[in-house]
Amino acid sequence: MKKFVFPILFCLFTFVGYAQQKYPYEMSEYTPSSENLKAREEFRNMRFGLFIHWGIYSVLGDGEWVMHNQRIPYDKYKRLADFFYPMDFDAREWVKIAKDAGMKYITITSRHHDGFSMFDTEASDYNIVDATPYGKDPLKELAEECKKEGIKLNFYYSLLDWGREDYGFGKKIVDGGPVDTDWDSYIEFMKTQLTELLTNYGEVGCVWFDGHWERKNANWHYDQIYSLIHDLSPATLIANNHHIQPIPGEDIQVFERDLPGENFAGYSKGVKVSKLPLETCATIGEAWGFNLNEKNYKSPKEIIHLLVKAAGKDANLLLNVGPMPNGKIQPEFVSILNEVGQWLKKYGETIYGTRGQIIPNQEWGTITAKDNTLFVHVLNQPGLPYVFIPQFDKKVLSATSFDKNVKLKFKQQKEGLFIYTGGLKENDIDQIIKLKIK
Ligand code: GLC
């Protein structure tokens, strides 16, 4: 009898494992349209975007998970809408902050896990226009301003909803949906909202989903959701922060708080870097949503290093701010972003429109490339009189310092390229070497 136990258990676990993965992969083949492929390249060229987490949770100044973390019952939490009046919100100011930081796109939370819609929607009254004294649609203003200023606008959209009955938060998933709830009605609700987002706000660069990880074994009906988006707007890119391999229908691969291929934050375990355009999202402080008690801010230097390392891995950086309940972005963020923008004014050529994955990122830094020019970013002093680029087989024509255009000595050998850094100007943030290759 015993000898059957192991095979039976094995089959059972294999089946459960398969069932867990089944739905995400139940997608038909996907061939992106030519508009979509063009949008992907434009997306890659942009390299730097502003993530905005803003909702009624900002009133409590304790991040966007406050309802969940402080175990606030939904009905009580809903009262926050009564006090949400962002009198200082000015879309022009936000877009200017992004532009001054050298950012090319904005991704804003249209609806987060608390289920509150920050836009005018017919699908639910629980939205900024109907449920707050403010009564206006900030996404509309933002869309108009972005269009005027040449900034792409993307919408974050939560799949997870802590409050709606048809989502059935906490319920067991059976046959792809939560028990005793009208899961189909939830899917329809999302489709209605996505249609609104894609038809009422001009061109939308990307829909950025999040929350899949809350119920990995549900049938999210991505086949319907993704084709709805691509049918309404072929150039709109689809991203999903699901922490698994991309699903057919998605156009970019996103990584949370980690560079592609890394897993320090713990969300990307076993996730392989795909051939899709890549994006990494990060916070300036600790939290995504406004945190009154924020203590640890990344320095401009740390952010520049993150941006450069992301570009070296061929990824965009989507850097987050959580505006305050009055609609202002806090001064700490503004000044940090401004310094990053100053750096980009001078060195943007080495980031925008470049491609990465030339070499794996090194202790000393990384490389970005544009046609026959490579930018070697020395972020940390190598501690030797040279920078060594392993397994480099492209023929180098010249090496010069980016700042002063001083010629640098180099030596090409079978094991790699040595560039002698003697002529490099001391630069505390990033010493850039320009390599011309054949
Ligand atoms: C996580 C969090 C969420 C945040 C997101 C940004 O998934 O649940 O609050 O919006 O990361 O990447």
Side-chain angles (χ1 to χ4, degrees), residues 71-332:
R71 298 176 191 277
I72 306 173
Y74 186 53
D75 281 341
K76 285 194 184 166
Y77 179 87
K78 275 177 124 177
R79 289 188 197 154
L80 287 177
D82 299 339
F83 338 127
F84 191 67
Y85 193 89
M87 61 281 192
D88 293 328
F89 168 71
D90 181 357
R92 272 176 314 179
E93 204 174 285
W94 284 15
V95 174
K96 187 167 177 335
I97 290 169
K99 273 190 105 166
D100 288 350
M103 290 156 157
K104 306 292 184 190
Y105 61 101
I106 292 178
T107 306
I108 185 164
T109 46
S110 59
R111 180 171 142 271
H112 206 267
H113 311 332
D114 63 355
F116 188 79
S117 300
M118 290 294 283
F119 63 102
D120 193 9
T121 172
E122 296 286 308
S124 148
D125 290 342
Y126 194 41
N127 73 71
I128 188 160
V129 179
D130 294 319
T132 73
Y134 185 63
K136 286 189 278 181
D137 181 347
L139 299 200
K140 198 96 209 183
E141 283 175 51
L142 196 60
E144 278 156 21
E145 188 60 22
C146 281
K147 186 163 182 225
K148 211 161 85 206
E149 293 297 323
I151 293 282
K152 267 257 146 67
L153 183 63
N154 304 338
F155 292 131
Y156 168 109
Y157 189 82
S158 177
L159 296 157
L160 156 62
D161 191 304
W162 289 323
R164 283 182 65 98
E165 244 172 64
D166 53 4
Y167 182 84
F169 182 62
K171 293 211 166 144
K172 211 169 133 199
I173 307 297
V174 175
D175 291 336
V179 285
D180 303 329
T181 57
D182 193 351
W183 182 236
D184 286 346
S185 118
Y186 184 68
I187 303 290
E188 282 313 307
F189 159 74
M190 290 202 289
K191 279 159 63 179
T192 308
Q193 287 213 317
L194 290 164
T195 306
E196 291 174 331
L197 287 170
L198 287 160
T199 46
N200 298 340
Y201 297 87
E203 203 187 294
V204 175
C206 167
V207 178
W208 206 101
F209 290 104
D210 189 22
H212 166 108
W213 32 260
E214 199 271 321
R215 38 178 65 158
K216 295 192 185 92
N217 55 349
N219 183 356
W220 292 99
H221 294 284
Y222 289 131
D223 47 350
Q224 297 171 31
I225 291 176
Y226 289 177
S227 49
L228 171 86
I229 295 172
H230 284 141
D231 287 348
L232 286 170
S233 174
T236 297
L237 305 175
I238 295 177
N240 195 331
N241 185 32
H242 42 39
H243 310 148
I244 55 173
Q245 284 314 116
I247 297 168
E250 293 168 6
D251 305 302
I252 60 180
Q253 186 181 18
V254 295
F255 295 84
E256 184 175 337
R257 294 184 192 263
D258 254 317
L259 292 175
E262 295 179 348
N263 184 34
F264 296 109
Y267 301 112
S268 307
K269 190 163 174 249
V271 178
K272 293 195 195 70
V273 180
S274 75
K275 293 230 162 6
L276 294 179
L278 310 170
E279 184 190 68
T280 230
C281 59
T283 50
I284 300 181
E286 301 274 339
W288 299 98
F290 174 56
N291 179 5
L292 187 60
N293 202 19
E294 190 67 75
K295 291 187 186 78
N296 299 316
Y297 297 93
K298 292 189 180 73
S299 66
K301 179 176 169 178
E302 284 174 290
I303 291 168
I304 292 165
H305 281 199
L306 192 58
L307 176 67
V308 170
K309 285 184 196 163
K313 284 186 170 266
D314 210 22
N316 292 10
L317 175 64
L318 180 62
L319 186 66
N320 181 74
V321 296
M324 301 185 285
N326 63 357
K328 288 248 173 223
I329 297 176
Q330 64 188 81
E332 293 90 338

